[in-house]
Structures are given as structure tokens and as C-alpha cells.
Amino acid sequence: MTYIIMDLEWNNSYMKSTQKFINEIIEIGAVKLDEQLNEIDIFSELIKPVVSRKLRSRIKNLTHITNDDIKSGKPFSKVISEFEKWVGEDAVFLTWGDTDIRTLLSNIKTFLKKDDITFLRKYADLQRYCQCFINMENIQQAGLSYAAQCLQIDAEKFPHHRALDDSLLSAECFKKTFNAEKLKGFIKECNEDFYARLAFHPYVIKHKDDPLIDKNIFNCYCDICGGKVKTIKKWKFSNQSFRGIFFCENCNREFRVSLRIKKFYDYIDIKRNYTEIIRTDEKLEQKPQENT
Ligand SMILES: [Zn+2]
């Protein structure tokens, strides 16, 4: 068994044929480790893009890859078939966050007309795994260089933000935190469910009668006394959430409630926010007029 840690560079380009933007892969970098975590090989190839031959300045600045560099790259299909041979049969694949694997899949679908990544058998999100070893207070997701810093790895050794450098740095994070038992919980078989999850894009639910939502979540109570409230303005969907205005007779207060309901692959996330409403006419009464 081997561990393959992969990183990609891509260029966001507009595809006329689909009228959509695609993150077109321009570089694949990867490191292969054996079961004892010894580095046994590396992979690094530039890809000649077909959708856009001009790199966005963000990519040029970040990676220092030039338009001339990619011109001399190999075609995507050729690099993928070389990579497939290099990966071999019995690899656990790791990437920092799942964006790289999503991007690889979308490029394979678009350019090779295949529905899955044939050489991907087992996969783990290295970012999620490494976050178990990092104090995550105040941040939602640890960037690679932040994680390296927390794990006392010298990121300066891999300064280029190129695919190979970033995969080498990810490999350092992996080695530093390696725990076979813990890792098991993160390794996923790349089956139908895996691809369904990967292809799923979380979305905000916009209709009150959507069958996915329990109607009771629209019942509103005062967030201070917990009592029943009068509806002043009915629920209305705007700006990614349902909004309504309510009045609590017990507390003599009016408040706005916003409810954002988001569907993820296997759960629904509900965020409820209360905002006190202070009427302007009351404010004026309280404040002495300045100009009289
Ligand atoms: Zn109340």
C-alpha cells in the first residue's frame, strides 16, 4: 500500500461551449509515500490548457507559472494517463481539502468524458484529518501554511506554491500527525456514494413548502421570555433567508427573525437570528431635538 498526496494548480476560465466557468488544471504535483512514510517518488507535470491559454494574474503571482510555461505543457489526457500509471493499484489518495479532488473530477468529466476517477480507490481529506491535531479556535478551516505553522513545520522549505511544493508540504503535515487508527476514520471508499457526495453542492432552501423542511421551524417564540408572539410581518424569503417581524406582548418588544435553511448532502443546517427593532418615532421622542 502507498499514500499519494496530490496538489493541483488551475486557471479559472470561461468555456464558451458550456457557458460556464471551469477551473482548468494546469499542473499536477504529487508525492508517493510507502507504508512507513518514506518518500519513494514524486510526480510533477505542467498541462497545456485548451480553454484559455492566458493565465489569470492571481495564478501567475501566486505560482510564478508563466503563459510560456503552460504552452510547453503536455495535453491533459496524456498527463492523466501517465499519472494513472504512476499512482498504481493500491494507493490511499490524500488532498488538502476536497477542492482539488472535485476539480480533478470536473476536468476528467469535461475533457475525458468519464464519470469517475478510475485510479481513485480510497480517499481521505488531509485537511480534515490534520485539523484533529490543531487547535482550531476562531478558525473554520486551517489553510495549509497555517497548519504547517501550528505543527512546527518550516513552510519556507517549500516556498513556491507550485503543485509539487504544496504536495510536499502537505506530506510533511501528514507525517508529523500520522496516526493509523485515527486516519482509518477519514479514509473513504470511492464508490457511488462518494461521488454523489462530491458532486453535491450545498444550497439554500427558498420555499416555505419545500418537502425537506419541518413546518414547525416557522413557529416563532420570543427569544427572551419564550412566550407566544404576534406576527407583524409574515415570513418572506429575501437575501438567502426567510425574514419575519414579530411582537411579544409580554416583553413589549418587536423583533425581526431571520432563518437561513441550508441543505448539505446528508443534513440540513438552520441558522436563526433575532434582531431587536427600535422604532424611529420612539427614538425621536427619547432624544431632545437639537435645532429648536
Ligand atoms: Zn417576550
Side-chain angles (χ1 to χ4, degrees), residues 222-229 248-253 255:
C222 173
D223 59 323
I224 291 188
C225 72
K228 278 195 172 174
V229 291
C248 175
E249 280 179 330
N250 190 28
C251 303
N252 190 30
R253 60 189 279 268
F255 53 93

PDB file of all heavy atoms in Angstrom, residues 222-229 248-253 255, ligand 1:
ATOM      1  N   CYS A 222     -40.841  34.264  21.509  1.00  0.00           N
ATOM      2  CA  CYS A 222     -39.966  35.349  21.949  1.00  0.00           C
ATOM      3  C   CYS A 222     -38.652  34.759  22.467  1.00  0.00           C
ATOM      4  O   CYS A 222     -38.655  33.813  23.241  1.00  0.00           O
ATOM      5  CB  CYS A 222     -40.655  36.154  23.056  1.00  0.00           C
ATOM      6  SG  CYS A 222     -39.585  37.395  23.796  1.00  0.00           S
ATOM      7  N   ASP A 223     -37.533  35.324  22.017  1.00  0.00           N
ATOM      8  CA  ASP A 223     -36.241  34.766  22.434  1.00  0.00           C
ATOM      9  C   ASP A 223     -35.864  35.179  23.850  1.00  0.00           C
ATOM     10  O   ASP A 223     -34.898  34.686  24.413  1.00  0.00           O
ATOM     11  CB  ASP A 223     -35.129  35.151  21.441  1.00  0.00           C
ATOM     12  CG  ASP A 223     -34.968  36.652  21.297  1.00  0.00           C
ATOM     13  OD1 ASP A 223     -35.986  37.376  21.332  1.00  0.00           O
ATOM     14  OD2 ASP A 223     -33.824  37.107  21.143  1.00  0.00           O
ATOM     15  N   ILE A 224     -36.667  36.080  24.465  1.00  0.00           N
ATOM     16  CA  ILE A 224     -36.361  36.475  25.850  1.00  0.00           C
ATOM     17  C   ILE A 224     -37.244  35.732  26.852  1.00  0.00           C
ATOM     18  O   ILE A 224     -36.741  35.056  27.741  1.00  0.00           O
ATOM     19  CB  ILE A 224     -36.460  38.007  26.018  1.00  0.00           C
ATOM     20  CG1 ILE A 224     -35.290  38.634  25.236  1.00  0.00           C
ATOM     21  CG2 ILE A 224     -36.417  38.404  27.500  1.00  0.00           C
ATOM     22  CD1 ILE A 224     -35.101  40.096  25.437  1.00  0.00           C
ATOM     23  N   CYS A 225     -38.587  35.805  26.655  1.00  0.00           N
ATOM     24  CA  CYS A 225     -39.460  35.151  27.634  1.00  0.00           C
ATOM     25  C   CYS A 225     -39.933  33.773  27.177  1.00  0.00           C
ATOM     26  O   CYS A 225     -40.485  33.010  27.959  1.00  0.00           O
ATOM     27  CB  CYS A 225     -40.659  36.046  27.966  1.00  0.00           C
ATOM     28  SG  CYS A 225     -41.844  36.157  26.611  1.00  0.00           S
ATOM     29  N   GLY A 226     -39.700  33.457  25.921  1.00  0.00           N
ATOM     30  CA  GLY A 226     -40.111  32.150  25.412  1.00  0.00           C
ATOM     31  C   GLY A 226     -41.603  32.063  25.104  1.00  0.00           C
ATOM     32  O   GLY A 226     -42.108  31.008  24.717  1.00  0.00           O
ATOM     33  N   GLY A 227     -42.322  33.189  25.278  1.00  0.00           N
ATOM     34  CA  GLY A 227     -43.763  33.195  25.068  1.00  0.00           C
ATOM     35  C   GLY A 227     -44.168  33.293  23.607  1.00  0.00           C
ATOM     36  O   GLY A 227     -43.324  33.484  22.725  1.00  0.00           O
ATOM     37  N   LYS A 228     -45.484  33.153  23.399  1.00  0.00           N
ATOM     38  CA  LYS A 228     -46.009  33.259  22.033  1.00  0.00           C
ATOM     39  C   LYS A 228     -45.931  34.708  21.554  1.00  0.00           C
ATOM     40  O   LYS A 228     -45.984  35.641  22.348  1.00  0.00           O
ATOM     41  CB  LYS A 228     -47.470  32.808  22.024  1.00  0.00           C
ATOM     42  CG  LYS A 228     -47.604  31.303  21.952  1.00  0.00           C
ATOM     43  CD  LYS A 228     -49.034  30.911  21.577  1.00  0.00           C
ATOM     44  CE  LYS A 228     -49.122  29.422  21.303  1.00  0.00           C
ATOM     45  NZ  LYS A 228     -50.509  28.994  21.083  1.00  0.00           N
ATOM     46  N   VAL A 229     -45.819  34.867  20.253  1.00  0.00           N
ATOM     47  CA  VAL A 229     -45.698  36.218  19.704  1.00  0.00           C
ATOM     48  C   VAL A 229     -46.742  36.467  18.617  1.00  0.00           C
ATOM     49  O   VAL A 229     -47.284  35.529  18.040  1.00  0.00           O
ATOM     50  CB  VAL A 229     -44.282  36.455  19.116  1.00  0.00           C
ATOM     51  CG1 VAL A 229     -43.241  36.516  20.211  1.00  0.00           C
ATOM     52  CG2 VAL A 229     -43.926  35.390  18.085  1.00  0.00           C
ATOM     53  N   CYS A 248     -43.807  40.668  20.890  1.00  0.00           N
ATOM     54  CA  CYS A 248     -44.099  39.955  22.130  1.00  0.00           C
ATOM     55  C   CYS A 248     -44.813  40.919  23.064  1.00  0.00           C
ATOM     56  O   CYS A 248     -44.247  41.937  23.480  1.00  0.00           O
ATOM     57  CB  CYS A 248     -42.820  39.438  22.782  1.00  0.00           C
ATOM     58  SG  CYS A 248     -43.130  38.691  24.394  1.00  0.00           S
ATOM     59  N   GLU A 249     -46.077  40.593  23.380  1.00  0.00           N
ATOM     60  CA  GLU A 249     -46.859  41.472  24.261  1.00  0.00           C
ATOM     61  C   GLU A 249     -46.308  41.462  25.674  1.00  0.00           C
ATOM     62  O   GLU A 249     -46.263  42.471  26.352  1.00  0.00           O
ATOM     63  CB  GLU A 249     -48.332  41.032  24.247  1.00  0.00           C
ATOM     64  CG  GLU A 249     -49.036  41.546  23.013  1.00  0.00           C
ATOM     65  CD  GLU A 249     -50.498  41.130  22.935  1.00  0.00           C
ATOM     66  OE1 GLU A 249     -50.825  40.041  23.471  1.00  0.00           O
ATOM     67  OE2 GLU A 249     -51.278  41.872  22.352  1.00  0.00           O
ATOM     68  N   ASN A 250     -45.859  40.315  26.076  1.00  0.00           N
ATOM     69  CA  ASN A 250     -45.312  40.141  27.426  1.00  0.00           C
ATOM     70  C   ASN A 250     -44.104  41.049  27.666  1.00  0.00           C
ATOM     71  O   ASN A 250     -43.986  41.686  28.713  1.00  0.00           O
ATOM     72  CB  ASN A 250     -44.944  38.656  27.599  1.00  0.00           C
ATOM     73  CG  ASN A 250     -44.600  38.311  29.025  1.00  0.00           C
ATOM     74  OD1 ASN A 250     -45.086  38.945  29.965  1.00  0.00           O
ATOM     75  ND2 ASN A 250     -43.757  37.316  29.191  1.00  0.00           N
ATOM     76  N   CYS A 251     -43.211  41.125  26.686  1.00  0.00           N
ATOM     77  CA  CYS A 251     -41.987  41.935  26.830  1.00  0.00           C
ATOM     78  C   CYS A 251     -42.143  43.316  26.196  1.00  0.00           C
ATOM     79  O   CYS A 251     -41.222  44.129  26.293  1.00  0.00           O
ATOM     80  CB  CYS A 251     -40.796  41.246  26.200  1.00  0.00           C
ATOM     81  SG  CYS A 251     -40.468  39.608  26.836  1.00  0.00           S
ATOM     82  N   ASN A 252     -43.262  43.541  25.519  1.00  0.00           N
ATOM     83  CA  ASN A 252     -43.499  44.784  24.796  1.00  0.00           C
ATOM     84  C   ASN A 252     -42.339  45.123  23.866  1.00  0.00           C
ATOM     85  O   ASN A 252     -41.756  46.202  23.918  1.00  0.00           O
ATOM     86  CB  ASN A 252     -43.775  45.937  25.777  1.00  0.00           C
ATOM     87  CG  ASN A 252     -44.270  47.173  25.041  1.00  0.00           C
ATOM     88  OD1 ASN A 252     -44.914  47.056  23.980  1.00  0.00           O
ATOM     89  ND2 ASN A 252     -43.959  48.346  25.563  1.00  0.00           N
ATOM     90  N   ARG A 253     -41.971  44.138  23.061  1.00  0.00           N
ATOM     91  CA  ARG A 253     -40.869  44.382  22.135  1.00  0.00           C
ATOM     92  C   ARG A 253     -41.158  43.772  20.766  1.00  0.00           C
ATOM     93  O   ARG A 253     -41.838  42.771  20.636  1.00  0.00           O
ATOM     94  CB  ARG A 253     -39.551  43.842  22.683  1.00  0.00           C
ATOM     95  CG  ARG A 253     -39.553  42.351  22.953  1.00  0.00           C
ATOM     96  CD  ARG A 253     -38.301  41.939  23.698  1.00  0.00           C
ATOM     97  NE  ARG A 253     -37.174  41.776  22.805  1.00  0.00           N
ATOM     98  CZ  ARG A 253     -36.835  40.626  22.231  1.00  0.00           C
ATOM     99  NH1 ARG A 253     -37.537  39.526  22.429  1.00  0.00           N
ATOM    100  NH2 ARG A 253     -35.780  40.556  21.452  1.00  0.00           N
ATOM    101  N   PHE A 255     -39.403  42.428  17.165  1.00  0.00           N
ATOM    102  CA  PHE A 255     -38.120  41.937  16.668  1.00  0.00           C
ATOM    103  C   PHE A 255     -38.270  41.251  15.322  1.00  0.00           C
ATOM    104  O   PHE A 255     -39.323  40.772  14.952  1.00  0.00           O
ATOM    105  CB  PHE A 255     -37.450  40.993  17.672  1.00  0.00           C
ATOM    106  CG  PHE A 255     -38.328  39.853  18.122  1.00  0.00           C
ATOM    107  CD1 PHE A 255     -38.278  38.632  17.470  1.00  0.00           C
ATOM    108  CD2 PHE A 255     -39.196  39.999  19.194  1.00  0.00           C
ATOM    109  CE1 PHE A 255     -39.071  37.576  17.877  1.00  0.00           C
ATOM    110  CE2 PHE A 255     -40.006  38.950  19.608  1.00  0.00           C
ATOM    111  CZ  PHE A 255     -39.950  37.730  18.949  1.00  0.00           C
TER     112      PHE A 255
HETATM  113 ZN    ZN B   1     -41.170  38.075  25.427  1.00  0.00          ZN
END
